[in-house]
Amino acid sequence: MKIIDAKVFVGGPAKNYVTLKIMTDQGIYGLGDATLNNRETLPAQYLTDYLIPNLVGMDPRNSEDIWQFLYRGAYFRRGPIAMAAFGAIDMALWDIKGKLANMPLYQLFGGKSRDGAMVYAHATGADTEDLMDSISYYVDQGYKAVRVQCGVPGMPTKGYAVPESKGAFRNHITSYSGIRPKVETWDSDKYMRFMPGVLEEIRDRFGPDLKILHDVHHRLMPREAAAFAKSVEPANLFWLEDPTPAEDQDALTLIRQHSTVPIAIGEVFNSIYDCNKLIERELIDFIRVAVTYAGGITPVKRIVDLAGLHHVRTGFHGAPSHSPLCMAAQAHLNAWAPNFGIQEYLVLGTPECDALFPSDHRMENGMVLVSDAPGLGVDFDEKEAARYEYAPGSHPVVRLEDGTMWNY
Ligand code: CS2
Ligand code: MG
């Protein structure tokens, strides 16, 4: 069996998805996601200029050897652009493998460990009342877990992932349009004074069973993060995400020394070498890698197994940052992983996205029910894809009130 060709598509409804399609001499094709938010053309070009010419002629069944060829063969290893490109190839090869075996991928991993995988939605509010309405909206739909972000009073822009004005709380995503970033402001003291009270109020209003998550988005310094983690303990969080910039891994020791709040980290990691020490030292509770940025199913499965040895559970990075292909790869891993924790899932559910990526993976009562179709269980409609073209975008940048650059 041989790979005869591969193509890359960039574009999509309200977002630039990078989709790889690998064709074989047996008519079976595989699909993979290389979407790297706001840098989408780069993994696409890495694939077209360097990787696809090498793939042609290879046996797609040798996914392990092909992964090693990509990783060891690059010489300049790792980094999100290369790893997203490898991730798409690896996903597509697993898709082909599943189609050849006529089995959904979770069967090839070891079968199902659970019927549905719990997901968390994103609740957000311009102020506390607005946030409470947003949480109620998701709880009423059956979600068991909600990430909560709230506008901080007295800051010129209100904080990470919160709307500027009230009532825009459903599926709020930061606007990425245009190549020049929007500037947001930040004040750690105001945030640290305000947020613990909001989290406690949520716990009081929604009771002990709701799983509450909160994302600091790398904005606190180690001492601040340790103090903040201690101060949010009464709210009994499911997790506190990215309390400090992810590069400084020793910062997490300080947090552990002062608090028992569960820590989730890893959405910006792109290899096992970014998290093996954190896992082995048991400094985190959830690992947040995504199958796309972390180089595909092959390496992520190794991370999941390492994490399992150290009581670290999965909490894969989710939509809308990745396409339904990455979400499907994660749905299969979630169905299998003995140490599954939770899956991030922002309900976009647009008819346009479903038309571009038809599948029968489905969401019911805050759980993802994995598809039983062979392979990833997601298709890609090229006619639909022809309707979209690449539109450049940018994450916001963050400055302190005196103008100093800060972490987005
Ligand atoms: C966020 C991300 O989902 C999350 O937890 O931190 O959505 C992040 O902001 C984006 O992936 C950036 O592209
Ligand atoms: Mg995050």
Side-chain angles (χ1 to χ4, degrees):
M1 186 175 192
K2 281 193 168 44
I3 295 173
I4 53 168
D5 197 9
K7 321 189 235 186
V8 184
F9 302 82
V10 183
K15 173 150 185 81
N16 301 306
Y17 294 121
V18 183
T19 307
L20 172 71
K21 181 170 184 174
I22 295 183
M23 277 76 77
T24 69
D25 58 357
Q26 297 189 11
I28 293 177
Y29 58 87
L31 297 166
D33 174 35
T35 307
L36 179 63
N37 274 350
N38 297 317
R39 295 291 183 271
E40 296 88 352
T41 52
L42 303 179
Q45 193 166 357
Y46 196 137
L47 282 161
T48 338
D49 290 358
Y50 301 102
L51 304 182
I52 293 174
N54 277 295
L55 286 179
V56 172
M58 285 184 173
D59 184 335
R61 293 169 297 185
N62 296 334
S63 47
E64 179 67 62
D65 182 64
I66 294 176
W67 197 86
Q68 298 294 333
F69 173 89
L70 300 171
Y71 185 80
R72 292 173 193 262
Y75 184 62
F76 299 104
R77 293 181 183 174
R78 299 155 65 182
I81 298 167
M83 294 303 264
F86 303 173
I89 294 173
D90 188 71
M91 257 180 253
L93 298 181
W94 276 93
D95 193 24
I96 292 170
K97 209 184 289 300
K99 288 172 177 168
L100 279 172
N102 200 26
M103 284 185 195
L105 286 190
Y106 69 78
Q107 291 293 9
L108 302 186
F109 302 156
K112 265 191 203 176
S113 302
R114 58 195 54 77
D115 293 329
M118 177 172 66
V119 305
Y120 67 91
H122 287 188
T124 182
D127 61 23
T128 313
E129 269 323 299
D130 202 30
L131 174 59
M132 297 296 172
D133 289 347
S134 177
I135 299 170
S136 301
Y137 169 79
Y138 291 111
V139 167
D140 291 349
Q141 291 185 44
Y143 283 90
K144 295 157 185 52
V146 188
R147 186 190 84 171
V148 300
Q149 305 299 130
C150 190
V152 177
M155 281 193 331
T157 53
K158 290 168 187 277
Y160 166 69
V162 295
E164 295 290 312
S165 50
K166 285 165 78 90
F169 57 75
R170 286 181 207 176
N171 304 334
H172 177 79
I173 52 172
T174 317
S175 158
Y176 296 133
S177 64
I179 203 72
R180 284 183 188 272
K182 193 178 143 220
V183 181
E184 295 185 347
T185 45
W186 180 252
D187 182 323
S188 296
D189 286 340
K190 289 195 174 87
Y191 166 78
M192 287 173 66
R193 279 199 301 272
F194 177 69
M195 202 61 211
V198 175
L199 295 172
E200 264 188 81
E201 208 177 318
I202 296 168
R203 176 58 72 213
D204 288 348
R205 274 225 219 166
F206 291 90
D209 289 333
L210 181 69
K211 298 192 173 13
I212 304 171
L213 298 81
H214 178 65
D215 192 347
V216 184
H217 224 251
H218 323 276
R219 296 207 179 164
L220 297 179
M221 297 298 96
R223 190 212 57 80
E224 294 169 337
F228 185 74
K230 196 154 74 171
S231 70
V232 300
E233 279 184 359
N236 194 22
L237 295 185
F238 184 85
W239 84 30
L240 185 68
E241 178 178 339
D242 289 332
T244 47
E247 302 92 313
D248 179 7
Q249 305 208 335
D250 282 337
L252 297 167
T253 313
L254 192 70
I255 300 175
R256 272 290 199 247
Q257 284 164 350
H258 292 276
S259 167
T260 53
V261 69
I263 302 294
I265 205 161
E267 65 182 40
V268 298
F269 292 168
N270 46 68
S271 92
I272 194 164
Y273 302 107
D274 294 324
C275 54
N276 61 333
K277 295 281 181 299
L278 287 179
I279 293 171
E280 284 159 7
R281 292 167 66 199
E282 301 183 3
L283 291 178
I284 58 172
D285 301 278
F286 295 91
I287 181 69
R288 296 261 303 130
V289 288
V291 168
T292 300
Y293 309 150
I297 292 169
T298 299
V300 168
K301 217 169 153 296
R302 285 197 258 276
I303 294 176
V304 174
D305 281 330
L306 176 68
L309 296 179
H310 295 280
H311 325 287
V312 174
R313 291 187 285 157
T314 62
F316 295 137
H317 193 213
S321 296
H322 313 287
S323 93
L325 290 161
C326 173
M327 294 306 288
Q330 295 181 174
H332 288 284
L333 287 168
N334 291 338
W336 152 77
N339 50 328
F340 167 75
I342 199 166
Q343 172 64 58
E344 179 176 23
Y345 193 93
L346 180 54
V347 196
L348 294 172
T350 62
E352 293 83 3
C353 195
D354 293 345
L356 185 58
F357 295 102
S359 96
D360 57 8
H361 292 281
R362 46 190 212 288
M363 263 282 300
E364 261 172 40
N365 268 332
M367 313 283 271
V368 166
L369 305 179
V370 67
S371 162
D372 285 318
L376 285 170
V378 178
D379 210 348
F380 180 66
D381 187 325
E382 290 184 44
K383 280 206 196 83
E384 280 290 315
R387 294 174 46 196
Y388 303 107
E389 54 187 48
Y390 168 70
S394 177
H395 291 107
V397 295
V398 178
R399 290 185 184 275
L400 303 182
E401 287 183 62
D402 69 357
T404 307
M405 274 296 292
W406 207 244
N407 308 312
Y408 168 56

